[in-house]
Amino acid sequence: MTNYLETKGRIFDIQRYSVHDGPGIRTIVFLKGCLFRCKWCCNPESQEFEIQTMKTEQGEKVTGRDVTAREVLEEVRQDMSYYRRSRGGMTLSGGESLLQPAFAKAMFMGAHQMGINTAIETTGAVKMDIISDLLPHIDYFLMDIKHMNPEKHKEFTSRDNRLALENAKTIAKQANYYAVRIPVIPGFNDTPEEIAAIAQYAQELSADRLHLLPYHRLGADKYASLGRTYELSEILPPDESKMAALLRVAQEFKTPCQIGG
């Protein structure tokens, strides 16, 4: 592993100065490729591993590039002062970072070598041995649990979540910090019963925190740029009163919870 920083991966964006997906001010690295096809996905350009061309009003835009861990970490390290002051760090997102495990591991190891804390935003839906290999290098494990019903999950994401739900039991025991994130999608999982089922599971896992993430339409325009149709065009984001009501449902369980994050 002496040359692990030369490990190559495929990304499509780096977002600096973020205050989401982990504590403090963070740099989020978005990796290409995903197992799921969530109907509400705000990064449809992340789903395919292949490098793509998006047709925008400003012209054609290539999305996706091959990089080494060293190259990305050079950009990440530019904001060390912000990380120190805010206890922030680097987060890998996507797409699904676990589909590029060698690159993800190199990124996490390199960040730790620099004294930067690490986080991953993930579905957790890969073989558990892949996740176990990465867990020692991850400070904050942020896992989406979208639904407790595998068939409804498949209807809205193209695949069921049986593996993810099973993996969650092991991850929650082994992770340094484990948070459950629920993207709240109208018509999919926004009833009190559905939120309660996930909150109860988070309690059973002894999760450190539960996040309710309200549906938004950011990224909807990207679908046309990729020659695709956005299937949830008629769906409106939940209002504050709706989210507050769902938060009260989640608060009936022991896991500390919040809206956003």
Side-chain angles (χ1 to χ4, degrees), residues 165-196:
L165 293 177
E166 187 62 30
N167 284 347
K169 300 173 186 176
T170 303
I171 297 167
K173 292 177 182 178
Q174 296 182 0
N176 295 305
Y177 177 98
Y178 178 74
V180 170
R181 293 152 54 94
I182 309 173
V184 179
I185 313 300
F188 170 57
N189 64 355
D190 66 332
T191 67
E193 294 78 13
E194 288 165 318
I195 295 299

Side-chain angles (χ1 to χ4, degrees), residues 134-164:
L134 292 175
L135 277 173
H137 311 287
I138 300 172
D139 298 307
Y140 300 93
F141 201 100
L142 315 175
M143 182 172 172
D144 282 6
I145 296 184
K146 303 172 176 68
H147 212 285
M148 293 304 297
N149 183 312
E151 294 308 317
K152 191 165 187 182
H153 188 280
K154 183 176 181 179
E155 179 186 352
F156 278 77
T157 72
S158 78
R159 297 176 63 141
D160 71 52
N161 60 346
R162 289 183 174 89
L163 178 60

Side-chain angles (χ1 to χ4, degrees), residues 14 16 65 71-79 83:
I14 299 176
R16 297 167 65 186
R65 58 190 173 102
E71 290 171 333
V72 179
L73 287 167
E74 283 300 318
E75 184 165 347
V76 171
R77 75 187 305 169
Q78 294 177 27
D79 296 318
Y83 308 147

Side-chain angles (χ1 to χ4, degrees), residues 12 34 36-47 94-95 156 185 215-223 228 230 232:
F12 68 94
C34 191
F36 296 119
R37 297 294 181 267
C38 300
K39 292 184 177 183
W40 61 88
C41 181
C42 62
N43 291 321
E45 73 273 35
S46 74
Q47 294 177 352
F156 278 77
I185 313 300
Y215 164 74
H216 59 74
R217 303 180 69 171
L218 300 175
D221 292 343
K222 296 179 182 178
Y223 286 77
R228 296 173 54 186
Y230 185 63
L232 301 187

Side-chain angles (χ1 to χ4, degrees), residues 6 27-28 34 41 84 86 92 101 125 132 141 157 198 200 232 236 242 253:
E6 301 309 316
T27 297
I28 305 177
C34 191
C41 181
R84 292 193 183 101
S86 68
L92 296 192
S132 293
F141 201 100
T157 72
I198 302 174
Q200 181 176 352
L232 301 187
L236 297 177
K242 174 75 171 184
F253 300 87

